[in-house]
Amino acid sequence: MAITKVKSLKGEITVPGDKSISHRGVMFGAISDGITELNGFLDGADCRSTISCFRAMGIDISQEKDHVIIHGKGLHGLNAPANMLDVGNSGTTTRLISGILAGQPFVSSLNGDASIQKRPMGRIITPLSEMGAYIRSLKDNGCAPLEMGGKQLHSIHYDSPVASAQVKSCVLLAGLYADGITSVTEPVVSRNHTELMLSGFGADIKSEGLTASIVGNPKLLGQKIAVPGDISSAAYFIAAGLICDNADLLIKNVNTNPTRAGIIKVAKDMGGKLELLNERIVSGEPVADIHVCTSSLHGCEISGDIIPTLIDELPVIAVMASAATGTTIIKDAAELKVKESDRIATVTENLKAMGADVTATDDGMIIVGGKELQGTTIKTYKDHRIAMAFAVAGLIANGKTDFDDEKCPVISYPNFFETLNRLLS
Ligand code: S3P
């Protein structure tokens, strides 16, 4: 797959189902009574890892592309898995499933790929241990492989040091198995899909400001859920539509939950021509069609409370910044260092290789836009979002852009290159 500069980029697309919502649909369906049906499920490697973990615990799940049926067995219906669960590359699977596994009467263990084995799990080990869980990093390095379960949990209030929906969701899911009310306060509100969806399944769950709380031992009932398109996948086409010449794109059916939609505000702050059409609520989540076209972008500062709402989009926002006039400063985003790759390092390395003016900082980067980009071979570090962000950069670069691993979008967007190619023709 080689990308070259495009003359125009036009068309109408849909993007695959939201990854966060797809994971949660499978997990919550598995621990509910009755059938859960997901339409628009993300058939990517990460969400398949979640399905296979629950199948390994005796849950009957049928999957035909983006249509998934889960035969839930209730809060206490999981069987002990015969082997170590394989979470693949998925941080969401690892951290959310740990909240469920910690509350089971059996001990289980999980592990994933080389990237997962480097990602910090102390952030879930600490609150789960406070709840009375047995949970241990088997190599004593605060990372997977993890072993957990077999103890009765008790409710806690947890002041999370990080704004992380994975940590918040892990504690709330463990709270399902604890007596009383479990609550989590975050420094800044992170994505709230767990709160919205678990409430739909019948949990007594509330959010007030920075705190989410859940009452233990509810009766959860299977649901029918329409999974909207993932704004993190739409982000590549939003960025491409803004920075390519002669671009006009309509991206249909995208989740625009305010706890996820920071890229829309940033695109507008940078002078982007972007509008939301046909705004509606689907399965409790805000959804819209997004129309973007070629724009003259200028730099801006991206910091503070908006960061968790666009954390996964920062690689492609950095690409937008390199195509903008003036300076963009990204701050308060140290979490980028603990994603599928160290995204401060991997974004700056690749942008520099393309000729951009970018400086890595401790909690972000500074990009001086306007330098002409040159094609190169992108070092993906097997990170799906690095490959796709730099495919967008390749659309405005001179020469050819290719990838040391072009398969990694399979994690969240298996047909990314096909969709992109369709818009080029
Ligand atoms: C996710 C939360 C975010 C995000 C990840 C998905 C989720 O991670 O980066 O891609 O589905 O809860 P953190 O909770 O670590 O910020």
Side-chain angles (χ1 to χ4, degrees), residues 57 74-81 99-108 134 148-153 177:
M57 292 190 282
L75 214 49
H76 303 285
L78 299 176
N79 297 334
I100 295 173
L101 295 177
Q104 301 304 312
F106 51 79
V107 174
S108 58
Y134 163 68
M148 69 203 98
K151 288 257 184 94
Q152 178 57 47
L153 306 185
Y177 295 92

Side-chain angles (χ1 to χ4, degrees), residues 19-20 24 92 95 123 163-166 191 311-312 339:
K19 183 155 78 69
S20 296
R24 285 162 174 78
T92 309
R95 298 202 178 102
R123 55 180 60 194
S164 160
Q166 294 179 357
R191 65 191 67 193
I311 190 75
D312 292 339
K339 295 296 178 187

Side-chain angles (χ1 to χ4, degrees), residues 125-182:
I125 293 173
T126 301
L128 291 176
S129 303
E130 267 181 44
M131 294 180 81
Y134 163 68
I135 174 161
R136 187 161 98 75
S137 157
L138 289 174
K139 291 187 180 160
D140 279 328
N141 61 357
C143 299
L146 301 176
E147 182 178 78
M148 69 203 98
K151 288 257 184 94
Q152 178 57 47
L153 306 185
H154 54 80
S155 56
I156 57 164
H157 171 72
Y158 187 59
D159 269 311
S160 177
V162 278
S164 160
Q166 294 179 357
V167 171
K168 172 175 64 177
S169 302
C170 171
V171 176
L172 293 173
L173 287 169
L176 292 171
Y177 295 92
D179 290 333
I181 299 174
T182 296

Side-chain angles (χ1 to χ4, degrees), residues 3 35 47 52-53 85 100 121 124 176 182 189 203 211 217 264 296 309 314 319 321 360 365 380:
I3 309 256
I35 288 178
C47 297
S52 73
C53 287
L85 297 169
I100 295 173
M121 294 301 152
I124 58 165
L176 292 171
T182 296
V189 174
T211 302
N217 289 304
I264 291 174
S296 301
T309 73
L314 284 171
V319 170
M365 50 199 116
T380 61

Side-chain angles (χ1 to χ4, degrees), residues 175-214:
L176 292 171
Y177 295 92
D179 290 333
I181 299 174
T182 296
S183 54
V184 185
T185 300
E186 304 185 89
V188 176
V189 174
S190 64
R191 65 191 67 193
N192 64 357
H193 305 300
T194 295
E195 296 88 310
L196 294 179
M197 197 190 287
L198 262 185
S199 162
F201 277 81
D204 188 353
I205 184 163
K206 285 195 190 71
S207 302
E208 267 179 56
L210 299 172
T211 302
S213 56
I214 193 162

Side-chain angles (χ1 to χ4, degrees), residues 15 54 106-107 143 163 238 264 269 304 327 331 340 352-353 382 398 424:
V15 293
F54 282 92
F106 51 79
V107 174
C143 299
I238 293 174
I264 291 174
D269 287 352
T327 302
K331 291 200 293 201
E340 287 83 328
K352 276 187 184 155
K382 295 196 181 298
N398 296 319
L424 304 180

